[in-house]
Amino acid sequence: MNINSKIYFASDQHFGAPTPELSFPREQKFINWLDEVKHDADAIFLLGDLFDFWFEYKTVVPKGFVRVLGKLAEIKDAGIPIYFFVGNHDLWMGDYFQKELNIPVYHDNQEFTFNNKTFLIGHGDGKGPGDLGYKRMKKVFTNPFSKWLFRWLHPDIGVKLAQYLSVKNKLISGAEDVKFLGEENEWLVQYAKRKLETKSYDFFVFGHRHLPMIIDVSEKSKYINLGDWIGYFTYGVFDGLTFELKEYKN
Ligand SMILES: [Mn+2]
């Protein structure tokens, strides 16, 4: 890491929901945040559910999000690395981000080391015990045959259907229960503790819970949940030594 620079983390923007019109001010706020952090960012991590629904056809991507995509392109082109992890709402990402924006897309947790600190980073869905309904659902959604079937639905029908399910039924989100379960019972706390049995990490950084929290999972390791950009507008900052959660107020 460069001296005086920082690594930023944000997740769960769910742009497009509940409607494009209502999502727009949140998109603008996120763009303002990107404009602010780009000045001292060494890297920016987006940990999933940037879109409330995303599906890539062979030659077509969903309408909208032009300003967000443009801002990400601008920052990436200026030489700041951006890493994108898919969430459960945008897990059908193909190679569009990679090809169009030159931004790598990760479909599972990934380890990183910055300043001798080790990170395990991901969206966090379907990890740890429980969430069995969602895990079953994810198998269906990631199955090549169901993806193939969905791709052959006309996009005007497919996207409408998916948006309906996403916003109204919470079918795609699974049990996104935003009630804090207590430090011991949070699935991702249990997941982190199990990971520590085989390897040491300094920071576990996830989204998905929509609840900003920093919890000690051992004497030297912390689990951080980034919150969301629906009600909290929170983000993570690593300055080379410590990790902080902050709220974007502008
Ligand atoms: Mn989410």
Side-chain angles (χ1 to χ4, degrees):
M1 280 179 74
N2 292 321
I3 210 142
N4 291 328
S5 67
K6 296 178 172 71
I7 296 174
Y8 291 95
F9 301 80
S11 79
D12 293 275
Q13 291 80 7
H14 287 261
F15 292 145
T19 63
E21 294 72 27
L22 289 169
S23 167
F24 193 73
R26 297 193 294 109
E27 291 175 37
Q28 198 51 59
K29 189 164 171 159
F30 183 63
I31 289 162
N32 295 345
W33 176 76
L34 286 169
D35 263 330
E36 211 171 289
V37 303
K38 72 182 181 193
H39 297 292
D40 64 355
D42 227 28
I44 298 172
F45 281 83
L46 301 176
L47 300 197
D49 288 357
L50 179 64
F51 309 111
D52 198 59
F53 174 70
W54 180 270
F55 191 90
E56 282 173 44
Y57 302 84
K58 286 243 164 78
T59 51
V60 172
V61 296
K63 269 190 185 179
F65 319 113
V66 170
R67 288 169 182 80
V68 174
L69 294 170
K71 185 52 69 183
L72 293 175
E74 176 205 311
I75 291 172
K76 174 70 198 195
D77 289 348
I80 299 169
I82 300 176
Y83 303 91
F84 191 90
F85 286 74
V86 302
N88 47 308
H89 284 253
D90 42 24
L91 59 87
W92 300 276
M93 270 204 174
D95 58 7
Y96 183 67
F97 262 48
Q98 180 67 63
K99 281 197 167 151
E100 189 70 26
L101 306 174
N102 200 18
I103 292 175
V105 174
Y106 299 94
H107 286 261
D108 207 348
N109 294 347
Q110 187 77 28
E111 293 178 22
F112 289 85
T113 305
F114 298 109
N115 260 21
N116 289 323
K117 301 278 187 194
T118 49
F119 290 74
L120 190 66
I121 296 172
H123 184 60
D125 56 310
K127 300 291 184 196
D131 220 354
L132 296 177
Y134 168 69
K135 282 175 185 163
R136 266 195 300 274
M137 193 63 84
K138 188 171 176 176
K139 281 219 173 84
V140 176
F141 286 140
T142 52
N143 177 289
F145 181 65
S146 16
K147 284 205 293 197
W148 179 85
L149 268 184
F150 188 85
R151 190 158 50 228
W152 284 102
L153 262 184
H154 190 281
D156 286 348
I157 297 166
V159 173
K160 250 217 169 78
L161 175 74
Q163 280 168 344
Y164 174 81
L165 294 176
S166 179
V167 175
K168 294 273 187 336
N169 286 3
K170 287 280 165 210
L171 189 62
I172 298 171
S173 10
E176 268 182 352
D177 184 356
V178 288
K179 254 204 331 256
F180 183 55
L181 300 172
E183 289 202 4
E184 291 304 308
N185 297 322
E186 283 286 328
W187 289 328
L188 288 167
V189 169
Q190 296 182 26
Y191 173 75
K193 284 185 174 165
R194 222 181 49 225
K195 281 279 166 191
L196 287 173
E197 288 169 11
T198 52
K199 203 172 169 181
S200 86
Y201 295 95
D202 295 290
F203 300 106
F204 296 87
V205 191
F206 297 115
H208 187 55
R209 280 295 278 135
H210 290 229
L211 283 175
M213 55 180 128
I214 298 186
I215 292 174
D216 290 330
V217 284
S218 80
E219 250 166 56
K220 62 177 284 281
S221 321
K222 288 175 196 306
Y223 154 57
I224 296 115
N225 198 284
L226 297 173
D228 69 18
W229 280 69
I230 298 170
Y232 291 107
F233 302 96
T234 41
Y235 61 97
V237 196
F238 176 65
D239 64 3
L241 206 62
T242 55
F243 197 110
E244 271 186 285
L245 270 183
K246 292 186 174 177
E247 185 192 339
Y248 188 57
K249 295 208 166 100
N250 285 9

